[in-house]
Amino acid sequence: MYWNNFVYIIPEIFLVSSSLIFLLLGIVLNKRVIHVLSLITSLITIGVVLINLEIEPRLIFDGLLKSDLYISIAKIVILFSSSSVLFMMLASGREYCYEFSIMILLAVFGLITLISANNLLSFYLSFEIQSITLYALTCFDKSAIRSSESGVKYFVLSALSSCIMLYGISMLYGYTTEVGFYELYNFFSHGQNIPLGSILGMVFILIGIFFKLSVAPFHMWVPDVYQGTSTVMTAFFSIVPKSTFILLLIRILNEVLPALSKDWQHIVICVSVLSIFVSAFGAMRQSNLKRLFSYAAIGHMGYMLIALAMNTLASNTAVIMYLLLYVIMNIGLFSVLIQYRDDNCNVLNLRGLHTNSPVIAFCIAVTMLSMAGIPPLAGFFPKYDILSSLIENGFIKIAIIFALVSVISCYYYLRIIKVMYFDLNDTSCSILVMNKKLSAVLLFTVLIYFIFFVFVGDVRRVIGYFLHFNFFNG
């Protein structure tokens, strides 16, 4: 009946069917072969998405899913991020059981299905697919107490947020009798008296998304989960789900909720302001790099959310630019952290790195300064655009708060540089091993920073045109 619709979900079919086949092949094949095949599958899926690229919006299975240019590009970003994590896992040379990479593929399947969801039912099912796989991946190392502890904590809190989201979906359906995104958009845009219950239901859905983005006050799981799970999984958590939910939030706020901007704008602003404060002051006391960067991620999400709250073309352009740089910076960052012999990534293990590996130390320093937003490095430009958007929309006090907290957050980035360059080297403490492949990843990301600096204007124009075509052409 709907056979022609299957053409538009070939990437998802290929990804999930490959994962199931690898699950069977893992019994007879070497686990490293399965990891390599998983990486190849992720890269091939990118090619399939490019071949099936849809310019004009197209509804699939009676509006259950949607395909357009924005969704296709979002899928490519998600698949590229996950491919980078799989490559770093392979390059690290560590032993992971063959199911590990397969579970990552299944999580990616849930995420790329989630980004194309056009209905509350498909949205929630995709949300749960990626959640269940992440539960398993968090506590994959059964021999480590921290891993089991973080897995239980993530499961309990994530299940709670999922229940809140489901309750919000039921409220939204009860008050609007609609589940499709387009129908909900019409209800909110043309309704004279919008029930308070429907707005509350949408707030509950946003809470579920905020939990996945780990923004305050829904951040309590992040430091323990980042520290407890394996470094590869921390990299995945930090990059792939967060980029997915930011891209999804852009869709929801622009396609479903533009008429309710006055209702959700203040909520998003409060969450983002609280996030940057929690990030700046929470990271100061951390000596474990994974915990430190978990707090840093909360701040980065806060920056993106405050720009989304402005809901203008310029602010959304800044969000996409920030997100792309966030993905690249984290790939470079975790290419260093994965090189630790164990998962206890203490900042003191970087002491004297500039004497042993001056090029690597320089690359880490550039990455830290870029994450801090120091001009003229790449990380400065999206922050500048976000602050400009705040000022243009009349939120001058909030712009000042963000600028001041950014200065405070420079402390923990500069501390890492200080440890590398000015602390005495202690060979008994230095457990960092330089891996050529992972070091090449770090060098490549630093090269992107400098290329971005040269072409920042062109990048801004391309992203602006892309968003104007998809969301702001009315």
Side-chain angles (χ1 to χ4, degrees):
M1 183 177 179
Y2 294 109
W3 289 109
N4 56 328
N5 288 286
F6 284 95
V7 175
Y8 305 106
I9 59 168
I10 289 176
E12 288 85 349
I13 294 172
F14 174 74
L15 191 62
V16 73
S17 58
S18 299
S19 303
L20 297 175
I21 292 169
F22 296 158
L23 202 59
L24 296 174
L25 291 177
I27 301 171
V28 294
L29 293 179
N30 184 282
K31 54 190 172 184
R32 188 166 179 83
V33 174
I34 297 296
H35 297 328
V36 173
L37 289 173
S38 298
L39 174 59
I40 293 171
T41 298
S42 184
L43 294 172
I44 292 174
T45 309
I46 295 175
V48 176
V49 172
L50 287 170
I51 293 171
N52 277 22
L53 200 66
E54 287 291 329
I55 305 299
E56 296 297 328
R58 188 180 296 274
L59 298 181
I60 306 167
F61 299 113
D62 287 336
L64 201 63
L65 300 172
K66 182 181 177 182
S67 179
D68 61 16
L69 182 61
Y70 176 83
I71 292 170
S72 298
I73 298 298
K75 287 179 181 178
I76 291 171
V77 172
I78 296 164
L79 288 163
F80 170 78
S81 305
S82 58
S83 299
S84 302
V85 174
L86 285 169
F87 175 78
M88 288 191 290
M89 183 190 74
L90 278 168
S92 68
R94 294 196 181 183
E95 294 293 327
Y96 294 92
C97 57
Y98 77 92
E99 296 96 341
F100 191 82
S101 58
I102 297 172
M103 293 293 286
I104 288 178
L105 288 184
L106 291 172
V108 173
F109 164 73
L111 291 168
I112 64 172
T113 308
L114 180 66
I115 199 67
S116 60
N118 198 55
N119 185 293
L120 290 175
L121 298 177
S122 58
F123 167 78
Y124 186 73
L125 288 173
S126 303
F127 185 89
E128 285 304 303
I129 289 172
Q130 59 87 30
S131 292
I132 291 168
T133 51
L134 291 179
Y135 299 154
L137 285 165
T138 305
C139 55
F140 218 80
D141 187 2
K142 294 178 288 186
S143 61
I145 296 175
R146 281 188 181 275
S147 178
S148 301
E149 180 187 342
S150 63
V152 171
K153 189 168 189 175
Y154 179 63
F155 169 73
V156 171
L157 293 174
S158 184
L160 176 62
S161 72
S162 180
C163 291
I164 293 172
M165 174 181 280
L166 187 59
Y167 184 56
I169 290 172
S170 64
M171 287 183 69
L172 204 58
Y173 176 71
Y175 280 98
T176 66
T177 68
E178 303 289 353
V179 290
F181 284 2
Y182 183 71
E183 289 77 14
L184 288 170
Y185 167 78
N186 285 333
F187 179 86
F188 290 128
S189 299
H190 306 300
Q192 298 297 323
N193 296 312
I194 299 173
L196 182 61
S198 63
I199 297 175
L200 187 60
M202 188 54 69
V203 170
F204 285 163
I205 294 173
L206 290 177
I207 286 174
I209 296 175
F210 289 158
F211 179 88
K212 291 297 183 180
L213 289 173
S214 68
V215 291
F218 313 104
H219 68 285
M220 66 290 292
W221 60 275
V222 184
D224 292 334
V225 170
Y226 272 44
Q227 184 181 12
T229 190
S230 64
T231 308
V232 169
M233 198 55 220
T234 304
F236 187 85
F237 263 115
S238 184
I239 300 170
V240 187
K242 283 184 169 55
S243 57
T244 303
F245 281 96
I246 284 290
L247 293 167
L248 176 67
L249 198 57
I250 292 173
R251 264 199 71 203
I252 291 174
L253 296 182
N254 286 285
E255 290 186 2
V256 184
L257 302 176
L260 297 181
S261 58
K262 292 182 180 179
D263 296 292
W264 54 256
Q265 185 182 58
H266 297 293
I267 297 172
V268 175
I269 289 173
C270 290
V271 167
S272 59
V273 171
L274 185 59
S275 296
I276 63 163
F277 275 101
V278 169
S279 170
F281 294 102
M284 281 186 178
R285 298 166 47 243
Q286 305 304 323
S287 58
N288 183 284
L289 287 173
K290 288 161 71 173
R291 290 184 72 90
L292 190 154
F293 289 120
S294 72
Y295 281 104
I298 295 169
H300 290 306
M301 294 302 115
Y303 263 98
M304 291 186 228
L305 285 183
I306 196 68
L308 286 178
M310 300 302 102
N311 201 34
T312 63
L313 177 60
S315 65
N316 278 268
T317 301
V319 172
I320 296 292
M321 193 158 63
Y322 199 123
L323 178 63
L324 295 176
L325 284 172
Y326 172 81
V327 170
I328 293 166
M329 288 188 292
N330 274 270
I331 289 171
L333 173 67
F334 281 97
S335 69
V336 175
L337 298 186
I338 288 174
Q339 295 182 53
Y340 278 85
R341 287 201 187 100
D342 60 16
D343 287 322
N344 183 27
C345 302
N346 197 295
V347 67
L348 296 178
N349 293 324
L350 295 173
R351 285 184 293 190
L353 183 63
H354 77 287
T355 57
N356 300 328
S357 303
V359 176
I360 299 300
F362 172 76
C363 291
I364 295 173
V366 170
T367 303
M368 293 300 101
L369 293 173
S370 184
M371 293 182 83
I374 304 297
L377 295 172
F380 166 75
F381 296 101
K383 284 189 175 181
Y384 174 80
D385 290 347
I386 289 170
L387 293 175
S388 298
S389 297
L390 285 170
I391 294 169
E392 288 171 5
N393 287 275
F395 294 92
I396 298 174
K397 292 181 181 178
I398 295 177
I400 293 171
I401 291 171
F402 267 71
L404 292 175
V405 177
S406 292
V407 174
I408 296 171
S409 66
C410 288
Y411 164 78
Y412 51 83
Y413 292 117
L414 295 176
R415 181 189 169 209
I416 294 171
I417 298 174
K418 175 253 183 187
V419 169
M420 289 191 302
Y421 281 91
F422 299 106
D423 283 13
L424 295 175
N425 187 14
D426 183 3
T427 54
S428 64
C429 184
S430 181
I431 57 170
L432 195 66
V433 178
M434 284 304 139
N435 181 300
K436 290 183 180 180
K437 293 178 183 177
L438 292 172
S439 299
V441 172
L442 177 61
L443 288 169
F444 180 71
T445 57
V446 171
L447 180 63
I448 292 176
Y449 304 154
F450 292 110
I451 294 173
F452 183 89
F453 170 72
V454 176
F455 297 103
V456 61
D458 297 321
V459 172
R460 191 182 287 118
R461 280 191 294 273
V462 170
I463 295 173
Y465 177 79
F466 168 69
L467 288 175
H468 182 270
F469 176 79
N470 284 274
F471 300 121
F472 296 92
N473 55 4

